[in-house]
């Protein structure tokens, strides 16, 4: 028997009661989320600091209404963390729910079909969507947890102890989160961390994210003469930093799309044929993918599919490059310096600090004596993989199977959430990435949206997750 006398296999009656409650309160669940979405909690812009505080307090107030054991705003040197506890008892597993209440800047405003902080319902591709900044990333997904908690409390009670840990700096790099985890490590003790800040493959192909790539993010500067020079007088006699930088970048990959940095692949985890076959179960339409991006063809490392290149293989990409004259008209200068930002997405067993050093050493080796080169590591994050045999994964799998009527696919995402590895390392527990967005939800872009289908399926699935977790054997 699970906590609270419920059978380990959640009964059809209990599932129906949860669904009936969610359906009966559907409009209120939407109205409350819309109220939160109206607060422009843009962490990157100082003028929105009062809105950040308001958004945090709004969430704390909604959690307080559910009667937690404790709820408070934890101060950090930056923005506060909303913390709440719902205690059931020592025999129940404890779930730590992480998310963030800050959102990306909404600019350029003129590309939005409706104001970004005036949420509305609309149709997209025949599906009803919530349009607003933060609808999916991450207010909508955080609020699914709040409403799942309410549904459980009103229908038999919580089967797990719950802890909410919702930060306000994710969109600006979570600068103070790692220290906050260390500062509150005892309070954050749990059996599993649950995060909904990822996507599913499709509404008819539910999935659970079991892997994230790490990242090593670098900035490269090439310096030549002590000032911009006349390109007619000095061109051909003095090295051009932009030319040199481009030549260096061109040497970082070979014709097969493989990264040429010595030692780069030494620690790369190679997936087995069985694991790659499991990935191949994912429905993927290459022609639709190209059409959606207006691409004549795809590219990448030879020997791997597009899905594999975007998830299980490491990458190196130039994210920005600048130098010289960029104004209107012409100005024939030989620039004094050139710069580039370069990111490398990493896979399991690759260490960001090691890769950053390999990158810096290689560029310095390649650089000609005609220029000076500086390489700086801006930030890094560890890759993450969750074992599909873990009890927490089995609970998520059972919940989605019950909700969607089909077994979810374990999927790896190409993006990076560095704090996931920090949670796993510092708290010594599994992290479940149970997101309900879609890659087509325009995250970080104008017209961000989140399907109402996804929002309510998320509430239902998360409620079931806690019941299924309570039925798993504890270590």
């Amino acid at each position: 028997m699970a906590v609270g006398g419920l059978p380990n296999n959640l009964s059809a009656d209990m599932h129906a009661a949860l669904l009936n409650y969610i359906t009966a309160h559907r409009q209120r669940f939407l109205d409350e989320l819309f109220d939160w979405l109206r607060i422009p909690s843009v962490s990157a812009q100082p003028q929105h600091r009062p809105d950040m505080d308001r958004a945090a307090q709004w969430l704390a107030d909604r959690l307080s209404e559910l009667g937690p054991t404790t709820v408070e705003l934890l101060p950090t040197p930056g923005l506060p963390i909303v913390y709440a506890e719902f205690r059931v008892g020592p025999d129940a597993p404890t779930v730590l729910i992480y998310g963030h209440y800050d959102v990306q800047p909404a600019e350029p405003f003129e590309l939005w079909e409706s104001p970004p902080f005036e949420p509305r319902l609309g149709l997209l591709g025949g599906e009803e969507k919530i349009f607003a900044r933060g609808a999916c990333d991450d207010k909508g997904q955080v609020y699914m947890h709040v409403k799942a908690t309410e549904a459980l409390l009103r229908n038999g009670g919580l089967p797990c102890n719950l802890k909410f840990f919702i930060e306000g700096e994710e969109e600006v790099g979570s600068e103070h989160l790692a220290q906050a985890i260390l500062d509150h490590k005892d309070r954050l003790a749990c059996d599993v961390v649950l995060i909904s800040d990822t996507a599913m493959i499709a509404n008819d192909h539910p999935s659970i994210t079991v892997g994230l790539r790490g990242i090593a993010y670098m900035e490269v500067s090439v310096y030549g003469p002590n000032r911009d020079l006349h390109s007619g007088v000095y061109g051909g006699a003095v090295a051009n930093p932009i030319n040199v930088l481009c030549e260096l970048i061109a040497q970082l990959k070979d014709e097969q799309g493989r990264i040429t940095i010595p030692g780069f692949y030494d620690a790369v985890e190679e997936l087995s044929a069985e694991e790659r076959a499991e990935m191949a179960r994912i429905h993927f339409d290459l022609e639709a993918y190209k059409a959606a991006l207006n691409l004549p063809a795809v590219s990448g490392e030879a020997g791997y599919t597009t899905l594999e290149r975007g998830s299980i293989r490491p990458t190196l990409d130039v994210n920005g490059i600048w130098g010289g004259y960029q104004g209107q008209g012409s100005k024939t200068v030989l620039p004094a310096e050139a710069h580039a930002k370069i990111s490398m997405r990493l896979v399991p067993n690759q260490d960001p600090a090691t890769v950053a050093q390999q990158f810096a050493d290689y560029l310095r080796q390649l650089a000609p004596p005609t220029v000076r080169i500086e390489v700086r590591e801006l930030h890094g994050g560890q890759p993450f993989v969750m074992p599909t045999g873990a009890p927490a994964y089995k609970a998520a799998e059972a919940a989605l199977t019950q909700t969607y009527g089909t077994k979810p696919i374990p999927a790896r995402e190409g993006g990076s959430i560095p704090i996931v590895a920090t949670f796993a390392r510092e708290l010594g527990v599994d992290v479940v990435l149970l997101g309900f967005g879609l890659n087509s939800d325009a995250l970080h872009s104008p017209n961000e949206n989140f399907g109402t289908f996804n929002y309510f399926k998320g509430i239902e699935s998360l409620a079931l997750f806690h019941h299924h977790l309570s039925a798993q054997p504890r270590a």
Side-chain angles (χ1 to χ4, degrees):
M1 299 292 286
V3 176
L6 290 169
N8 285 347
N9 185 15
L10 183 62
S11 70
D13 287 344
M14 177 59 73
H15 188 187
L18 288 168
L19 267 177
N20 288 339
Y21 184 86
I22 294 168
T23 301
H25 296 273
R26 174 186 174 92
Q27 190 59 50
R28 177 170 63 83
F29 285 10
L30 283 171
D31 290 343
E32 291 174 4
L33 174 59
F34 278 30
D35 285 344
W36 201 23
L37 292 172
R38 290 188 182 98
I39 303 174
S41 49
V42 182
S43 54
Q45 297 174 341
Q47 67 268 29
H48 286 295
R49 176 57 197 258
D51 297 313
M52 296 300 302
D53 293 333
R54 191 156 57 99
Q57 188 61 57
W58 187 96
L59 179 59
D61 290 344
R62 300 294 78 73
L63 288 166
S64 294
E65 292 168 357
L66 300 180
T69 309
T70 184
V71 60
E72 59 186 293
L73 298 181
L74 303 178
T76 76
L79 295 158
I81 295 169
V82 181
Y83 180 76
E85 288 186 22
F86 295 82
R87 297 187 195 131
V88 174
D91 294 331
T94 298
V95 179
L96 175 65
I97 297 165
Y98 164 80
H100 60 94
Y101 61 87
D102 64 324
V103 301
Q104 280 277 314
E107 289 84 346
F109 294 112
E110 65 273 12
L111 296 184
W112 286 77
E113 295 179 5
S114 57
F117 298 107
E118 295 179 17
R120 66 175 177 89
L121 293 179
L123 291 178
L124 183 64
E127 294 189 15
E128 186 178 60
K129 299 276 191 173
I130 304 165
F131 288 88
R133 173 60 85 226
C136 181
D137 184 20
D138 187 35
K139 285 181 176 176
Q141 299 216 63
V142 167
Y143 209 59
M144 294 185 311
H145 289 274
V146 179
K147 296 297 96 178
T149 301
E150 176 185 326
L152 289 167
L153 287 168
R154 306 295 184 260
N155 292 276
L158 295 173
C160 299
N161 301 301
L162 301 184
K163 298 178 180 181
F164 283 78
F165 194 67
I166 313 300
E167 68 154 326
E169 299 181 344
E170 196 275 345
E171 299 292 8
V172 289
S174 298
E175 180 182 358
H176 301 106
L177 187 60
Q179 187 59 50
I181 293 172
L182 294 175
D183 292 343
H184 301 284
K185 192 170 182 176
D186 291 342
R187 298 183 73 180
L188 299 180
C190 60
D191 295 285
V192 61
V193 177
L194 179 60
I195 300 175
S196 297
D197 196 14
T198 50
M200 283 193 163
I201 295 170
N203 286 343
D204 57 351
H205 286 83
S207 58
I208 301 170
T209 300
V210 296
L212 296 167
R213 290 192 289 199
I215 189 170
Y217 197 95
M218 315 296 292
E219 184 171 292
V220 180
S221 297
V222 177
Y223 298 99
N226 59 5
R227 64 189 187 279
D228 287 356
L229 303 176
H230 189 295
S231 64
V233 175
Y234 293 96
V238 175
N240 184 321
I242 295 179
N243 292 355
V244 172
L245 179 58
C246 291
E247 291 164 1
L248 292 175
I249 291 171
Q251 295 179 72
L252 294 175
K253 285 186 180 180
D254 65 19
E255 294 180 354
Q256 299 300 309
R258 283 182 62 86
I259 296 161
T260 58
I261 299 170
F264 183 85
Y265 290 96
D266 287 354
V268 168
E269 177 191 69
E270 297 286 347
L271 264 66
S272 66
E274 291 76 16
E275 289 172 308
R276 292 180 70 179
E278 183 71 9
M279 281 193 68
R281 290 178 52 213
I282 298 172
H283 175 73
F284 180 71
D285 186 331
L286 181 59
E287 293 307 312
Y289 177 87
K290 291 190 295 184
L293 299 174
N294 196 26
L295 293 175
V298 294
S299 68
E301 185 180 0
Y304 295 90
T305 67
T306 296
L307 277 181
E308 290 173 334
R309 291 166 180 163
S311 60
I312 66 170
R313 298 302 295 169
T315 67
L316 185 150
D317 287 292
V318 179
N319 305 122
I321 187 166
W322 68 99
Y325 179 67
Q326 299 172 49
Q328 291 184 340
S330 62
K331 184 181 181 183
T332 53
V333 297
L334 190 157
E337 57 190 63
H339 311 269
K341 293 183 186 291
I342 298 174
S343 64
M344 291 164 284
R345 300 287 177 168
L346 312 179
V347 296
N349 298 332
Q350 284 189 295
D351 175 64
T354 300
V355 170
Q357 189 62 55
Q358 291 171 335
F359 174 89
D361 291 345
Y362 188 48
L363 275 185
R364 292 183 183 115
Q365 173 190 327
L366 292 177
T370 53
V371 296
R372 292 176 294 110
I373 185 171
E374 290 184 4
V375 184
R376 295 175 291 282
E377 180 183 4
L378 298 184
H379 67 82
Q382 293 284 345
F384 168 80
V385 175
M386 180 189 182
T388 55
Y393 179 86
K394 291 183 177 297
E397 182 181 62
L400 291 187
T401 300
Q402 189 166 355
T403 304
Y404 286 82
T406 185
K407 186 178 178 181
I409 297 172
R412 297 198 186 194
E413 289 197 4
S416 306
I417 309 178
I419 201 63
V420 171
T422 303
F423 274 123
R425 181 180 66 251
E426 297 299 336
L427 301 182
V429 297
D430 288 321
V431 180
V432 178
L433 298 169
L434 195 53
F436 294 86
L438 300 173
N439 287 331
S440 57
D441 287 344
L443 307 186
H444 296 202
S445 300
N447 304 306
E448 179 182 346
N449 59 85
F450 189 34
T452 53
F453 173 88
N454 306 74
Y455 178 54
F456 289 106
K457 276 292 184 186
I459 295 170
E460 176 190 355
S461 300
L462 292 169
L464 296 182
F465 169 83
H466 296 299
H467 277 297
H468 285 291
L469 182 68
S470 72
Q472 293 292 322
R474 297 181 67 191

